[in-house]
Amino acid sequence: MDMTVVILFLLIVILTLVITYFAAKRTQTTGDFYTAGGGLTGWQNGLAIAGDYLSAASFLGIAGAIALNGFDGFFYSIGFLIAYLVVLFLVAEPLRNLGKYTLADMINARFDAKKVRGAAALSTITIVLFYMIAQLVGAGALIQLLFGIDYWIAVLIVGVMMTIYVLFGGMIATSWVQITKAVLLMAGMVIISFLVLLKYNFNISTMFTEVKTVTSHGADFLKPGLKYTEPLGTISLMIALVLGTAGLPHILMRFFTVKDARTARSSVITATWTIGIFYILTLFLGFGAAAFVGHSDILAANPGGNMAAPLLAKAIGGDILFAFISAVAFATILAVVAGLVLSGASAFAHDLYGQIMKKGKATDRQQMLAARYAALAVSIFSIILALFAQTLNVAFLVSLAFCIAASANLPIILYTVYWKKFNTAGAITAMLSGLLSALILVSISPSVFSPVEGAALFVGEPLFPLANPALVSVPLGFLGGYIGTILSKEQDPVRYAEVKVKANTGYRES
């Protein structure tokens, strides 16, 4: 066990606990707990969004995917980055103007039905669990590699830490942990990229030429089709990545932490620049790992390739850089899982308990207690699920969460804001058709069934050919909303007119 690694890990943990301590003193109301009282500035929230979004899938999963699969691994970087344009132009402003704490609040601005709020909460919790598993798998692999402890103990350590942040510090603690992590992560990415380029005398052309010779794939390493051999499968993956961000509950929740829509837009711009630079740099991490670590060593450390970035840091920067990058990866996971737990807890406590069970009459104290109990439940359930997903690549797991978000949440968001005829029946059918189709198709896809033992969760022939079903499930979500709307006679043009004004101006009656 390297003492440098231990010391840096402890410093990260102490720093985040200090943040949580001071945040806990400022967390007095449900508004503080859910949205930090709406008091973050544009640049603060932008960095927090980047910290929330740049997850273990981005830092660990994408670096491993590029190192093992070349150009095809870079698809994740492209999709994740372009996704923020959808958020910026279509979602950020109306969401901030219409919502309060959760996605369901935004939809409830137009529909008061408990069924709609319940469906939105169900979708949120499902996405949170998929995304959470990915983070915990990455965390388990990282700590197992560093300290030589059992995978289940590593997952448990991260689970306890993330629960502490949310239970005591709420959104204030989560936001500042995410900001701190974003700064550390960008510093780590720049340092590694600099050292990789230094190996090639800062000649990117030389890097591309030499990387063709370091893997068994040869020149094919730089061409599409190495992993994603089916064009429809590739298109389906990109649809999930590009459209999914606009439906991710823990990202959408961040737009409620600022005072107005203008600040929300500036948040997205800051986040997009930060995230854009990060994803460009993943190319140097992936190629660097392929060249200086090697295919066999990456797979030996973790079957999903999730340890490529820390191993690269050790290969080109020695134990100190390895320790720093590993500690940053740990902070990355802690920051993201804290945001995920908070969004899942909000769906339980605010939507299901506060608005449906208590009919909006729950006191602040009751909602805070419910949120903390819900956070504990989400954490425990996620940990249990993560124990059975050790061999899966975390970037792939996150792409499934993106698929569900694009299929279930995005249709209802866009229809609520932009379609005059949309109604309660359409909202419920949109969300359920997208959610159920994504879950069912994933369960019978090559992601779950494979004739090759060890390639998927179960041995067998898949009934659905696409690993990521977004190509089918996203249109089904939109189609479900359309059919549900036209089959129902419910119409409320006055309510839509109010929503349209609020979505575009932020105006609310005093």
Side-chain angles (χ1 to χ4, degrees):
M1 188 181 295
D2 191 324
M3 285 308 298
T4 309
V5 176
V6 174
I7 291 169
L8 282 174
F9 256 75
L10 289 176
L11 286 175
I12 290 287
V13 170
I14 291 169
L15 176 62
T16 54
L17 288 176
V18 168
I19 291 171
T20 303
Y21 171 75
F22 285 105
K25 296 171 74 173
R26 294 173 53 194
T27 303
Q28 304 297 328
T29 66
T30 51
D32 295 333
F33 188 85
Y34 292 136
T35 63
L40 294 184
T41 64
W43 72 266
Q44 289 171 345
N45 197 44
L47 284 177
I49 290 171
D52 213 352
Y53 193 60
L54 299 176
S55 63
S58 298
F59 187 44
L60 301 178
I62 293 178
I66 294 174
L68 298 178
N69 305 308
F71 182 88
D72 281 10
F74 196 56
F75 276 133
Y76 285 102
S77 294
I78 298 168
F80 287 152
L81 175 56
I82 295 174
Y84 256 89
L85 298 178
V86 179
V87 177
L88 177 61
F89 291 118
L90 296 178
V91 174
E93 184 173 349
L95 183 79
R96 175 61 190 83
N97 287 336
L98 293 174
K100 185 180 181 183
Y101 296 146
T102 63
L103 170 63
D105 283 338
M106 178 258 192
I107 300 166
N108 197 61
R110 186 167 175 187
F111 310 113
D112 291 328
K114 292 181 181 178
K115 293 177 289 186
V116 177
R117 188 179 285 275
L122 175 65
S123 173
T124 294
I125 293 162
T126 304
I127 293 166
V128 163
L129 289 175
F130 266 97
Y131 215 117
M132 183 83 79
I133 293 168
Q135 309 311 312
L136 292 176
V137 168
L142 176 68
I143 298 175
Q144 184 183 30
L145 172 68
L146 294 175
F147 300 126
I149 61 178
D150 289 341
Y151 172 79
W152 71 270
I153 298 175
V155 169
L156 196 60
I157 290 171
V158 178
V160 171
M161 290 295 299
M162 71 185 181
T163 307
I164 289 171
Y165 298 150
V166 176
L167 285 182
F168 297 103
M171 181 58 87
I172 298 173
T174 299
S175 296
W176 281 102
V177 168
Q178 288 164 346
I179 291 168
T180 304
K181 161 263 174 118
V183 173
L184 291 173
L185 182 58
M186 291 304 296
M189 291 291 287
V190 170
I191 292 169
I192 294 181
S193 300
F194 176 84
L195 292 176
V196 169
L197 284 172
L198 183 63
K199 295 282 187 181
Y200 295 107
N201 296 317
F202 298 98
N203 190 323
I204 295 177
S205 178
T206 301
M207 181 185 72
F208 275 85
T209 301
E210 292 190 12
V211 82
K212 296 177 185 178
T213 64
V214 299
T215 74
S216 59
H217 302 298
D220 290 339
F221 191 71
L222 298 182
K223 299 176 183 178
L226 194 62
K227 178 177 176 63
Y228 302 112
T229 55
E230 294 292 330
L232 288 180
T234 306
I235 293 170
S236 190
L237 172 66
M238 294 307 292
I239 288 174
L241 299 183
V242 171
L243 299 181
T245 301
L248 290 175
H250 64 294
I251 298 296
L252 298 179
M253 195 175 180
R254 293 233 56 93
F255 297 119
F256 303 129
T257 63
V258 294
K259 61 181 180 179
D260 52 34
R262 181 179 180 181
T263 313
R265 285 197 303 274
S266 71
S267 299
V268 179
I269 293 169
T270 301
T272 304
W273 275 103
T274 308
I275 291 164
I277 294 169
F278 174 91
Y279 283 126
I280 290 171
L281 296 181
T282 57
L283 197 62
F284 301 109
L285 265 69
F287 284 173
F292 305 117
V293 179
H295 189 277
S296 58
D297 288 344
I298 292 171
L299 287 178
N302 178 260
N306 298 317
M307 290 300 100
L311 290 173
L312 172 63
K314 189 177 183 69
I316 64 174
D319 289 340
I320 293 177
L321 185 59
F322 173 65
F324 175 70
I325 293 302
S326 300
V328 168
F330 184 63
T332 294
I333 293 163
L334 289 178
V336 174
V337 293
L340 287 165
V341 170
L342 192 56
S343 60
S346 300
F348 270 119
H350 178 65
D351 295 326
L352 297 180
Y353 174 77
Q355 298 299 318
I356 295 178
M357 294 172 61
K358 286 289 188 177
K359 301 178 182 178
K361 296 178 181 178
T363 64
D364 257 14
R365 184 177 180 280
Q366 287 175 325
Q367 282 204 62
M368 290 278 281
L369 262 177
R372 286 176 168 140
Y373 283 131
L376 194 60
V378 170
S379 298
I380 292 170
F381 191 51
S382 300
I383 289 169
I384 293 170
L385 291 177
L387 294 177
F388 297 96
Q390 181 178 3
T391 60
L392 298 179
N393 181 278
V394 291
F396 157 72
L397 286 170
V398 167
S399 73
L400 294 183
F402 273 67
C403 174
I404 296 170
S407 305
N409 287 355
L410 185 60
I412 196 171
I413 292 171
L414 297 183
Y415 279 151
T416 296
V417 178
Y418 300 107
W419 189 20
K420 183 178 180 179
K421 294 182 179 180
F422 195 46
N423 55 33
T424 303
I428 294 170
T429 53
M431 194 161 285
L432 291 182
S433 58
L435 176 63
L436 294 177
S437 63
L439 290 175
I440 292 169
L441 293 176
V442 163
S443 68
I444 57 174
S445 74
S447 306
V448 176
F449 288 96
S450 172
V452 180
E453 188 171 354
L457 290 177
F458 302 106
V459 178
E461 290 292 336
L463 300 178
F464 181 74
L466 303 178
N468 192 302
L471 184 64
V472 176
S473 61
V474 172
L476 284 177
F478 281 98
L479 183 63
Y482 175 76
I483 292 174
T485 298
I486 62 173
L487 292 180
S488 172
K489 296 180 180 179
E490 175 197 347
Q491 292 290 318
D492 194 347
V494 175
R495 187 70 175 267
Y496 174 70
E498 293 175 358
V499 165
K500 188 175 181 180
V501 171
K502 289 179 184 178
N504 288 285
T505 66
Y507 172 78
R508 296 172 186 264
E509 292 182 5
S510 57

